[in-house]
Amino acid sequence: MVQIDEKVYGASSAKLASIFDAGTFVELGAYTKRHDSQKDFEGVVCGYGSVNGKLAFAFVQDSGRTKGAFGERHAKKICDMYALAVKNGAPVIGVFDSAGAVVYDGASALAAYGKVMKSVSDASGVIPQIAVIDGVCGGSSAVVASMFDLTVTIKDVSKLYVNAPFVLGKEVGTADYAAATGISAYAADSEADAYAYVRELVTLLPQNNADACLVETSDDLNRTVAIDGADAEAVVAALADNASVVRLYKDYAAGAVLGFASFGGVVSGVVSVCGALDIKTARAAAKLVSFCDSFGMPVLTLVDSCGLDVSCEAEQNAYASELAKLAYAYTTAENAKVTAVVGKAYGAAFTLLGSKSVGADIVFALENAAISVLSPEASVAFVWNDKVGEKTREELEAEWKEKCASAADACDRGEVDDVVESAELRKRVCAALMMLVTKAEGKPTRRHANMPL
């Protein structure tokens, strides 16, 4: 195997060394030169190697080689690498750092972007694709990077935009800006942080859409837990193996914990919502559920939601449309889906966040969970207000919660499979995910029935 030599790979050497296991990187198209030069190598390094023992492919745009300018041969190197990645069923990591297109290439440069876009699109849902913005990624390159499954930005380094700040007259495209707008799944503090995060993603994610999502774990599957439904992060940490979760969209969907974690060795997407189901949470959750379905990864949904966002701002920003996308993500997903109501689940939040009605395979609820069309307070005010006086409002609200909004009532109606003690939830979730990990939709194929001869 080839060592990553700075004399050979220039500015790309440190990035390649941060991505691949030592001594495993092999370059593809190493001697490709710019079409207008016999001495300048093309401004992108492509190749493959091992990431924590798993095969992966990567391209690294090198601003030190002709400023990483994008052109016909630049695109060909990337597209040829993509073809190998798809054939071998291995993920692609794209590191973006380019000054832009070779302007005098005209239509050829524009077509080159289109060819890479097609390669990315053709690979979507077949192999995972992770983009790292380690420099300038503007114009059509920003479109390409945004087509990847997950995008990682780096503080004080990343410049991700369609229109440059000097054109708009305001600061855009920073790592913080990309994270706040939901373009970036993770805003790293440094290059080391970014590539460590990428390596962790590659370890957890399946190699391709036919791969299983299993890892080894030393954590006890029967470990008892303490669940605090008021803290989404604490709930996930209590249930996940070794309390470890790789977060996504942390700076975008602040009211939720979204990401990947293993439960009894079964790697799953996690949607944990605490509070109102707002636009950003709905949009990010829909992206995660859709991604997991593409690769057959299970989804664990943890619900403690007071309902939908009641605000003019939500209605002015196509709230219904974003909720519709979330509904489509759950209802069309054929992967394994397990849901646990760990607190409140009021109104459409219960329906949309992985209920049985939208396709969940298994739904649990803790003993103290409250599932209702309206909150007990609103329900009493709307339905039982005439009873106030016979009993206090507080007594009526407690009665409503017990009779009409309890986990037992939802279980009785068939919308919850089991009421679970808090301490037992990890064991039950792990068992459900292990049972469902090989789930397949549709009727299994067979040669013929086994007749009782």
Side-chain angles (χ1 to χ4, degrees), residues 281-329:
T281 299
R283 183 181 297 156
K287 289 175 69 174
L288 177 56
V289 172
S290 179
F291 171 84
C292 290
D293 183 43
S294 295
F295 294 98
M297 296 180 69
V299 171
L300 173 64
T301 307
L302 303 167
V303 186
D304 182 14
S305 176
C306 56
L308 302 184
D309 181 9
V310 182
S311 69
C312 291
E313 182 183 1
E315 294 298 334
Q316 291 167 356
N317 287 280
Y319 192 23
S321 177
E322 294 303 331
L323 294 176
K325 293 173 187 175
L326 181 60
Y328 262 96

mmCIF file of all heavy atoms in Angstrom, residues 281-329:
data_model
loop_
_atom_site.group_PDB
_atom_site.id
_atom_site.type_symbol
_atom_site.label_atom_id
_atom_site.label_comp_id
_atom_site.label_asym_id
_atom_site.label_seq_id
_atom_site.Cartn_x
_atom_site.Cartn_y
_atom_site.Cartn_z
ATOM 1 N N THR A 281 -37.451 20.820 13.193
ATOM 2 C CA THR A 281 -37.416 19.439 13.662
ATOM 3 C C THR A 281 -38.077 18.516 12.649
ATOM 4 O O THR A 281 -37.560 17.437 12.338
ATOM 5 C CB THR A 281 -38.114 19.316 15.024
ATOM 6 O OG1 THR A 281 -37.418 20.131 15.980
ATOM 7 C CG2 THR A 281 -38.137 17.878 15.502
ATOM 8 N N ALA A 282 -39.221 18.950 12.103
ATOM 9 C CA ALA A 282 -39.936 18.128 11.113
ATOM 10 C C ALA A 282 -39.084 17.906 9.871
ATOM 11 O O ALA A 282 -38.990 16.781 9.355
ATOM 12 C CB ALA A 282 -41.253 18.801 10.742
ATOM 13 N N ARG A 283 -38.442 18.965 9.391
ATOM 14 C CA ARG A 283 -37.634 18.863 8.172
ATOM 15 C C ARG A 283 -36.423 17.962 8.382
ATOM 16 O O ARG A 283 -36.140 17.080 7.568
ATOM 17 C CB ARG A 283 -37.181 20.259 7.743
ATOM 18 C CG ARG A 283 -36.383 20.288 6.447
ATOM 19 C CD ARG A 283 -35.967 21.711 6.128
ATOM 20 N NE ARG A 283 -37.128 22.565 5.903
ATOM 21 C CZ ARG A 283 -37.127 23.887 6.055
ATOM 22 N NH1 ARG A 283 -36.025 24.496 6.458
ATOM 23 N NH2 ARG A 283 -38.211 24.581 5.813
ATOM 24 N N ALA A 284 -35.706 18.153 9.495
ATOM 25 C CA ALA A 284 -34.515 17.354 9.765
ATOM 26 C C ALA A 284 -34.882 15.895 10.025
ATOM 27 O O ALA A 284 -34.186 14.969 9.574
ATOM 28 C CB ALA A 284 -33.755 17.934 10.956
ATOM 29 N N ALA A 285 -35.980 15.670 10.745
ATOM 30 C CA ALA A 285 -36.419 14.295 11.021
ATOM 31 C C ALA A 285 -36.806 13.581 9.733
ATOM 32 O O ALA A 285 -36.495 12.401 9.548
ATOM 33 C CB ALA A 285 -37.581 14.305 12.000
ATOM 34 N N ALA A 286 -37.486 14.283 8.827
ATOM 35 C CA ALA A 286 -37.875 13.684 7.543
ATOM 36 C C ALA A 286 -36.639 13.279 6.751
ATOM 37 O O ALA A 286 -36.603 12.194 6.134
ATOM 38 C CB ALA A 286 -38.724 14.665 6.747
ATOM 39 N N LYS A 287 -35.601 14.125 6.745
ATOM 40 C CA LYS A 287 -34.361 13.799 6.038
ATOM 41 C C LYS A 287 -33.714 12.550 6.629
ATOM 42 O O LYS A 287 -33.236 11.671 5.900
ATOM 43 C CB LYS A 287 -33.395 14.986 6.100
ATOM 44 C CG LYS A 287 -33.808 16.180 5.268
ATOM 45 C CD LYS A 287 -32.883 17.362 5.466
ATOM 46 C CE LYS A 287 -31.517 17.130 4.881
ATOM 47 N NZ LYS A 287 -30.665 18.346 4.943
ATOM 48 N N LEU A 288 -33.696 12.463 7.949
ATOM 49 C CA LEU A 288 -33.047 11.321 8.601
ATOM 50 C C LEU A 288 -33.827 10.032 8.364
ATOM 51 O O LEU A 288 -33.233 8.990 8.049
ATOM 52 C CB LEU A 288 -32.919 11.587 10.106
ATOM 53 C CG LEU A 288 -32.312 10.452 10.937
ATOM 54 C CD1 LEU A 288 -30.936 10.055 10.418
ATOM 55 C CD2 LEU A 288 -32.237 10.847 12.403
ATOM 56 N N VAL A 289 -35.147 10.080 8.494
ATOM 57 C CA VAL A 289 -35.964 8.882 8.280
ATOM 58 C C VAL A 289 -35.818 8.393 6.843
ATOM 59 O O VAL A 289 -35.680 7.195 6.585
ATOM 60 C CB VAL A 289 -37.445 9.169 8.616
ATOM 61 C CG1 VAL A 289 -38.330 7.987 8.198
ATOM 62 C CG2 VAL A 289 -37.607 9.445 10.108
ATOM 63 N N SER A 290 -35.823 9.328 5.888
ATOM 64 C CA SER A 290 -35.667 8.963 4.482
ATOM 65 C C SER A 290 -34.297 8.344 4.217
ATOM 66 O O SER A 290 -34.178 7.355 3.483
ATOM 67 C CB SER A 290 -35.872 10.202 3.606
ATOM 68 O OG SER A 290 -35.715 9.890 2.239
ATOM 69 N N PHE A 291 -33.258 8.928 4.799
ATOM 70 C CA PHE A 291 -31.909 8.382 4.636
ATOM 71 C C PHE A 291 -31.846 6.955 5.179
ATOM 72 O O PHE A 291 -31.325 6.041 4.522
ATOM 73 C CB PHE A 291 -30.887 9.259 5.366
ATOM 74 C CG PHE A 291 -29.503 8.659 5.420
ATOM 75 C CD1 PHE A 291 -28.624 8.803 4.359
ATOM 76 C CD2 PHE A 291 -29.087 7.938 6.534
ATOM 77 C CE1 PHE A 291 -27.356 8.235 4.401
ATOM 78 C CE2 PHE A 291 -27.821 7.372 6.585
ATOM 79 C CZ PHE A 291 -26.958 7.519 5.513
ATOM 80 N N CYS A 292 -32.361 6.749 6.383
ATOM 81 C CA CYS A 292 -32.315 5.417 6.993
ATOM 82 C C CYS A 292 -33.068 4.398 6.154
ATOM 83 O O CYS A 292 -32.618 3.256 5.985
ATOM 84 C CB CYS A 292 -32.891 5.473 8.407
ATOM 85 S SG CYS A 292 -31.855 6.351 9.597
ATOM 86 N N ASP A 293 -34.207 4.803 5.610
ATOM 87 C CA ASP A 293 -34.973 3.887 4.775
ATOM 88 C C ASP A 293 -34.196 3.498 3.521
ATOM 89 O O ASP A 293 -34.255 2.352 3.070
ATOM 90 C CB ASP A 293 -36.308 4.536 4.390
ATOM 91 C CG ASP A 293 -37.189 3.598 3.577
ATOM 92 O OD1 ASP A 293 -37.282 2.414 3.936
ATOM 93 O OD2 ASP A 293 -37.772 4.047 2.575
ATOM 94 N N SER A 294 -33.449 4.458 2.957
ATOM 95 C CA SER A 294 -32.657 4.175 1.760
ATOM 96 C C SER A 294 -31.664 3.046 1.983
ATOM 97 O O SER A 294 -31.363 2.279 1.073
ATOM 98 C CB SER A 294 -31.889 5.435 1.318
ATOM 99 O OG SER A 294 -32.770 6.448 0.912
ATOM 100 N N PHE A 295 -31.144 2.948 3.211
ATOM 101 C CA PHE A 295 -30.109 1.963 3.500
ATOM 102 C C PHE A 295 -30.582 0.868 4.448
ATOM 103 O O PHE A 295 -29.766 0.140 5.018
ATOM 104 C CB PHE A 295 -28.867 2.666 4.048
ATOM 105 C CG PHE A 295 -28.212 3.554 3.028
ATOM 106 C CD1 PHE A 295 -28.454 4.916 3.025
ATOM 107 C CD2 PHE A 295 -27.409 3.019 2.039
ATOM 108 C CE1 PHE A 295 -27.887 5.735 2.056
ATOM 109 C CE2 PHE A 295 -26.838 3.823 1.078
ATOM 110 C CZ PHE A 295 -27.075 5.187 1.073
ATOM 111 N N GLY A 296 -31.902 0.757 4.629
ATOM 112 C CA GLY A 296 -32.443 -0.308 5.460
ATOM 113 C C GLY A 296 -32.073 -0.205 6.919
ATOM 114 O O GLY A 296 -32.085 -1.214 7.644
ATOM 115 N N MET A 297 -31.742 0.994 7.382
ATOM 116 C CA MET A 297 -31.409 1.188 8.786
ATOM 117 C C MET A 297 -32.681 1.385 9.604
ATOM 118 O O MET A 297 -33.567 2.143 9.205
ATOM 119 C CB MET A 297 -30.504 2.416 8.973
ATOM 120 C CG MET A 297 -29.160 2.321 8.324
ATOM 121 S SD MET A 297 -28.178 3.825 8.615
ATOM 122 C CE MET A 297 -27.858 3.692 10.380
ATOM 123 N N PRO A 298 -32.804 0.732 10.753
ATOM 124 C CA PRO A 298 -33.974 0.954 11.595
ATOM 125 C C PRO A 298 -34.020 2.398 12.104
ATOM 126 O O PRO A 298 -33.003 3.096 12.115
ATOM 127 C CB PRO A 298 -33.765 -0.014 12.768
ATOM 128 C CG PRO A 298 -32.745 -0.989 12.292
ATOM 129 C CD PRO A 298 -31.880 -0.249 11.328
ATOM 130 N N VAL A 299 -35.200 2.828 12.510
ATOM 131 C CA VAL A 299 -35.375 4.145 13.124
ATOM 132 C C VAL A 299 -36.054 3.968 14.479
ATOM 133 O O VAL A 299 -37.106 3.322 14.573
ATOM 134 C CB VAL A 299 -36.228 5.083 12.245
ATOM 135 C CG1 VAL A 299 -36.580 6.362 12.999
ATOM 136 C CG2 VAL A 299 -35.486 5.441 10.967
ATOM 137 N N LEU A 300 -35.451 4.535 15.508
ATOM 138 C CA LEU A 300 -36.059 4.588 16.836
ATOM 139 C C LEU A 300 -36.550 6.007 17.072
ATOM 140 O O LEU A 300 -35.776 6.957 17.023
ATOM 141 C CB LEU A 300 -35.045 4.202 17.913
ATOM 142 C CG LEU A 300 -35.519 4.388 19.361
ATOM 143 C CD1 LEU A 300 -36.703 3.473 19.671
ATOM 144 C CD2 LEU A 300 -34.377 4.151 20.337
ATOM 145 N N THR A 301 -37.857 6.157 17.328
ATOM 146 C CA THR A 301 -38.446 7.457 17.590
ATOM 147 C C THR A 301 -38.850 7.538 19.054
ATOM 148 O O THR A 301 -39.564 6.656 19.547
ATOM 149 C CB THR A 301 -39.683 7.700 16.703
ATOM 150 O OG1 THR A 301 -39.337 7.470 15.329
ATOM 151 C CG2 THR A 301 -40.183 9.124 16.853
ATOM 152 N N LEU A 302 -38.389 8.579 19.725
ATOM 153 C CA LEU A 302 -38.690 8.794 21.139
ATOM 154 C C LEU A 302 -39.495 10.083 21.257
ATOM 155 O O LEU A 302 -39.041 11.139 20.814
ATOM 156 C CB LEU A 302 -37.400 8.880 21.950
ATOM 157 C CG LEU A 302 -36.487 7.647 21.820
ATOM 158 C CD1 LEU A 302 -35.101 7.926 22.378
ATOM 159 C CD2 LEU A 302 -37.104 6.445 22.523
ATOM 160 N N VAL A 303 -40.671 9.996 21.846
ATOM 161 C CA VAL A 303 -41.613 11.108 21.805
ATOM 162 C C VAL A 303 -41.919 11.644 23.195
ATOM 163 O O VAL A 303 -42.335 10.891 24.092
ATOM 164 C CB VAL A 303 -42.934 10.688 21.126
ATOM 165 C CG1 VAL A 303 -43.856 11.895 20.966
ATOM 166 C CG2 VAL A 303 -42.666 10.034 19.784
ATOM 167 N N ASP A 304 -41.725 12.942 23.365
ATOM 168 C CA ASP A 304 -42.211 13.687 24.529
ATOM 169 C C ASP A 304 -42.566 15.077 24.028
ATOM 170 O O ASP A 304 -41.822 16.036 24.214
ATOM 171 C CB ASP A 304 -41.146 13.752 25.622
ATOM 172 C CG ASP A 304 -41.639 14.483 26.863
ATOM 173 O OD1 ASP A 304 -42.865 14.708 26.975
ATOM 174 O OD2 ASP A 304 -40.807 14.862 27.715
ATOM 175 N N SER A 305 -43.702 15.163 23.349
ATOM 176 C CA SER A 305 -44.057 16.393 22.638
ATOM 177 C C SER A 305 -45.423 16.924 23.069
ATOM 178 O O SER A 305 -46.402 16.171 23.140
ATOM 179 C CB SER A 305 -44.066 16.142 21.125
ATOM 180 O OG SER A 305 -44.499 17.292 20.430
ATOM 181 N N CYS A 306 -45.449 18.221 23.309
ATOM 182 C CA CYS A 306 -46.697 18.886 23.698
ATOM 183 C C CYS A 306 -47.580 19.172 22.485
ATOM 184 O O CYS A 306 -48.677 19.716 22.630
ATOM 185 C CB CYS A 306 -46.391 20.185 24.437
ATOM 186 S SG CYS A 306 -45.346 21.322 23.489
ATOM 187 N N GLY A 307 -47.108 18.835 21.272
ATOM 188 C CA GLY A 307 -47.909 19.037 20.080
ATOM 189 C C GLY A 307 -47.187 19.872 19.042
ATOM 190 O O GLY A 307 -45.957 19.944 19.017
ATOM 191 N N LEU A 308 -47.952 20.519 18.193
ATOM 192 C CA LEU A 308 -47.391 21.311 17.102
ATOM 193 C C LEU A 308 -47.043 22.725 17.561
ATOM 194 O O LEU A 308 -47.494 23.202 18.604
ATOM 195 C CB LEU A 308 -48.391 21.369 15.944
ATOM 196 C CG LEU A 308 -48.823 20.023 15.356
ATOM 197 C CD1 LEU A 308 -49.727 20.245 14.149
ATOM 198 C CD2 LEU A 308 -47.627 19.174 14.976
ATOM 199 N N ASP A 309 -46.238 23.389 16.750
ATOM 200 C CA ASP A 309 -45.830 24.764 17.002
ATOM 201 C C ASP A 309 -47.002 25.697 16.685
ATOM 202 O O ASP A 309 -47.503 25.721 15.560
ATOM 203 C CB ASP A 309 -44.628 25.097 16.119
ATOM 204 C CG ASP A 309 -44.110 26.506 16.336
ATOM 205 O OD1 ASP A 309 -44.561 27.174 17.284
ATOM 206 O OD2 ASP A 309 -43.254 26.940 15.541
ATOM 207 N N VAL A 310 -47.447 26.427 17.681
ATOM 208 C CA VAL A 310 -48.555 27.364 17.486
ATOM 209 C C VAL A 310 -47.973 28.774 17.375
ATOM 210 O O VAL A 310 -47.707 29.440 18.375
ATOM 211 C CB VAL A 310 -49.560 27.294 18.652
ATOM 212 C CG1 VAL A 310 -50.735 28.250 18.403
ATOM 213 C CG2 VAL A 310 -50.058 25.872 18.838
ATOM 214 N N SER A 311 -47.717 29.206 16.138
ATOM 215 C CA SER A 311 -47.134 30.531 15.925
ATOM 216 C C SER A 311 -47.411 31.009 14.510
ATOM 217 O O SER A 311 -47.557 30.203 13.586
ATOM 218 C CB SER A 311 -45.619 30.507 16.169
ATOM 219 O OG SER A 311 -44.960 29.762 15.164
ATOM 220 N N CYS A 312 -47.466 32.311 14.341
ATOM 221 C CA CYS A 312 -47.630 32.895 13.008
ATOM 222 C C CYS A 312 -46.422 32.593 12.140
ATOM 223 O O CYS A 312 -46.549 32.375 10.932
ATOM 224 C CB CYS A 312 -47.828 34.408 13.119
ATOM 225 S SG CYS A 312 -49.396 34.893 13.864
ATOM 226 N N GLU A 313 -45.242 32.563 12.772
ATOM 227 C CA GLU A 313 -44.009 32.298 12.021
ATOM 228 C C GLU A 313 -44.072 30.938 11.343
ATOM 229 O O GLU A 313 -43.671 30.783 10.184
ATOM 230 C CB GLU A 313 -42.805 32.362 12.958
ATOM 231 C CG GLU A 313 -41.481 32.140 12.253
ATOM 232 C CD GLU A 313 -40.300 32.127 13.200
ATOM 233 O OE1 GLU A 313 -40.506 32.270 14.423
ATOM 234 O OE2 GLU A 313 -39.168 31.962 12.718
ATOM 235 N N ALA A 314 -44.605 29.935 12.063
ATOM 236 C CA ALA A 314 -44.712 28.600 11.483
ATOM 237 C C ALA A 314 -45.637 28.602 10.279
ATOM 238 O O ALA A 314 -45.298 28.056 9.219
ATOM 239 C CB ALA A 314 -45.214 27.616 12.534
ATOM 240 N N GLU A 315 -46.788 29.226 10.405
ATOM 241 C CA GLU A 315 -47.749 29.248 9.307
ATOM 242 C C GLU A 315 -47.222 30.011 8.097
ATOM 243 O O GLU A 315 -47.549 29.702 6.951
ATOM 244 C CB GLU A 315 -49.070 29.863 9.776
ATOM 245 C CG GLU A 315 -49.800 29.044 10.818
ATOM 246 C CD GLU A 315 -50.201 27.655 10.319
ATOM 247 O OE1 GLU A 315 -50.383 27.476 9.098
ATOM 248 O OE2 GLU A 315 -50.313 26.744 11.160
ATOM 249 N N GLN A 316 -46.396 31.020 8.342
ATOM 250 C CA GLN A 316 -45.844 31.827 7.249
ATOM 251 C C GLN A 316 -44.709 31.121 6.512
ATOM 252 O O GLN A 316 -44.247 31.602 5.483
ATOM 253 C CB GLN A 316 -45.349 33.171 7.794
ATOM 254 C CG GLN A 316 -46.473 34.088 8.265
ATOM 255 C CD GLN A 316 -45.960 35.265 9.075
ATOM 256 O OE1 GLN A 316 -44.760 35.365 9.364
ATOM 257 N NE2 GLN A 316 -46.858 36.165 9.455
ATOM 258 N N ASN A 317 -44.273 29.981 7.051
ATOM 259 C CA ASN A 317 -43.143 29.263 6.443
ATOM 260 C C ASN A 317 -43.530 27.853 6.010
ATOM 261 O O ASN A 317 -42.767 26.905 6.188
ATOM 262 C CB ASN A 317 -41.970 29.213 7.426
ATOM 263 C CG ASN A 317 -41.281 30.558 7.563
ATOM 264 O OD1 ASN A 317 -40.471 30.930 6.732
ATOM 265 N ND2 ASN A 317 -41.637 31.291 8.615
ATOM 266 N N ALA A 318 -44.718 27.742 5.426
ATOM 267 C CA ALA A 318 -45.182 26.470 4.850
ATOM 268 C C ALA A 318 -45.110 25.328 5.853
ATOM 269 O O ALA A 318 -44.587 24.245 5.569
ATOM 270 C CB ALA A 318 -44.376 26.131 3.594
ATOM 271 N N TYR A 319 -45.672 25.573 7.055
ATOM 272 C CA TYR A 319 -45.642 24.576 8.125
ATOM 273 C C TYR A 319 -46.308 23.274 7.694
ATOM 274 O O TYR A 319 -45.758 22.178 7.884
ATOM 275 C CB TYR A 319 -46.340 25.161 9.355
ATOM 276 C CG TYR A 319 -46.156 24.392 10.642
ATOM 277 C CD1 TYR A 319 -45.068 23.542 10.848
ATOM 278 C CD2 TYR A 319 -47.076 24.537 11.686
ATOM 279 C CE1 TYR A 319 -44.905 22.877 12.041
ATOM 280 C CE2 TYR A 319 -46.920 23.881 12.881
ATOM 281 C CZ TYR A 319 -45.838 23.039 13.062
ATOM 282 O OH TYR A 319 -45.675 22.366 14.255
ATOM 283 N N ALA A 320 -47.485 23.379 7.098
ATOM 284 C CA ALA A 320 -48.213 22.176 6.680
ATOM 285 C C ALA A 320 -47.389 21.362 5.682
ATOM 286 O O ALA A 320 -47.387 20.124 5.715
ATOM 287 C CB ALA A 320 -49.562 22.555 6.071
ATOM 288 N N SER A 321 -46.679 22.046 4.789
ATOM 289 C CA SER A 321 -45.864 21.361 3.796
ATOM 290 C C SER A 321 -44.728 20.585 4.446
ATOM 291 O O SER A 321 -44.427 19.450 4.055
ATOM 292 C CB SER A 321 -45.306 22.377 2.789
ATOM 293 O OG SER A 321 -44.468 21.744 1.852
ATOM 294 N N GLU A 322 -44.093 21.168 5.446
ATOM 295 C CA GLU A 322 -42.989 20.489 6.137
ATOM 296 C C GLU A 322 -43.502 19.296 6.929
ATOM 297 O O GLU A 322 -42.851 18.246 6.980
ATOM 298 C CB GLU A 322 -42.252 21.471 7.056
ATOM 299 C CG GLU A 322 -41.527 22.584 6.322
ATOM 300 C CD GLU A 322 -40.504 22.075 5.311
ATOM 301 O OE1 GLU A 322 -39.940 20.973 5.521
ATOM 302 O OE2 GLU A 322 -40.281 22.764 4.306
ATOM 303 N N LEU A 323 -44.670 19.451 7.550
ATOM 304 C CA LEU A 323 -45.251 18.323 8.275
ATOM 305 C C LEU A 323 -45.658 17.215 7.299
ATOM 306 O O LEU A 323 -45.560 16.021 7.618
ATOM 307 C CB LEU A 323 -46.459 18.783 9.088
ATOM 308 C CG LEU A 323 -46.160 19.757 10.240
ATOM 309 C CD1 LEU A 323 -47.458 20.206 10.901
ATOM 310 C CD2 LEU A 323 -45.231 19.123 11.276
ATOM 311 N N ALA A 324 -46.102 17.619 6.102
ATOM 312 C CA ALA A 324 -46.463 16.636 5.082
ATOM 313 C C ALA A 324 -45.242 15.816 4.666
ATOM 314 O O ALA A 324 -45.337 14.603 4.428
ATOM 315 C CB ALA A 324 -47.066 17.340 3.865
ATOM 316 N N LYS A 325 -44.078 16.467 4.565
ATOM 317 C CA LYS A 325 -42.844 15.753 4.209
ATOM 318 C C LYS A 325 -42.492 14.722 5.281
ATOM 319 O O LYS A 325 -42.047 13.608 4.966
ATOM 320 C CB LYS A 325 -41.696 16.743 4.036
ATOM 321 C CG LYS A 325 -41.860 17.683 2.844
ATOM 322 C CD LYS A 325 -40.777 18.745 2.842
ATOM 323 C CE LYS A 325 -41.044 19.792 1.758
ATOM 324 N NZ LYS A 325 -40.061 20.901 1.812
ATOM 325 N N LEU A 326 -42.710 15.097 6.541
ATOM 326 C CA LEU A 326 -42.442 14.160 7.637
ATOM 327 C C LEU A 326 -43.405 12.973 7.553
ATOM 328 O O LEU A 326 -42.997 11.814 7.739
ATOM 329 C CB LEU A 326 -42.581 14.870 8.980
ATOM 330 C CG LEU A 326 -42.316 14.025 10.232
ATOM 331 C CD1 LEU A 326 -40.901 13.472 10.229
ATOM 332 C CD2 LEU A 326 -42.571 14.842 11.495
ATOM 333 N N ALA A 327 -44.675 13.264 7.271
ATOM 334 C CA ALA A 327 -45.661 12.192 7.127
ATOM 335 C C ALA A 327 -45.279 11.252 5.988
ATOM 336 O O ALA A 327 -45.352 10.019 6.128
ATOM 337 C CB ALA A 327 -47.048 12.791 6.882
ATOM 338 N N TYR A 328 -44.854 11.820 4.865
ATOM 339 C CA TYR A 328 -44.434 10.999 3.724
ATOM 340 C C TYR A 328 -43.220 10.149 4.089
ATOM 341 O O TYR A 328 -43.124 8.985 3.692
ATOM 342 C CB TYR A 328 -44.102 11.884 2.524
ATOM 343 C CG TYR A 328 -45.225 12.000 1.531
ATOM 344 C CD1 TYR A 328 -46.111 13.068 1.568
ATOM 345 C CD2 TYR A 328 -45.415 11.031 0.544
ATOM 346 C CE1 TYR A 328 -47.159 13.180 0.665
ATOM 347 C CE2 TYR A 328 -46.456 11.126 -0.369
ATOM 348 C CZ TYR A 328 -47.324 12.200 -0.306
ATOM 349 O OH TYR A 328 -48.360 12.292 -1.203
ATOM 350 N N ALA A 329 -42.275 10.724 4.824
ATOM 351 C CA ALA A 329 -41.062 9.983 5.183
ATOM 352 C C ALA A 329 -41.408 8.735 5.983
ATOM 353 O O ALA A 329 -40.908 7.630 5.696
ATOM 354 C CB ALA A 329 -40.118 10.887 5.973
#
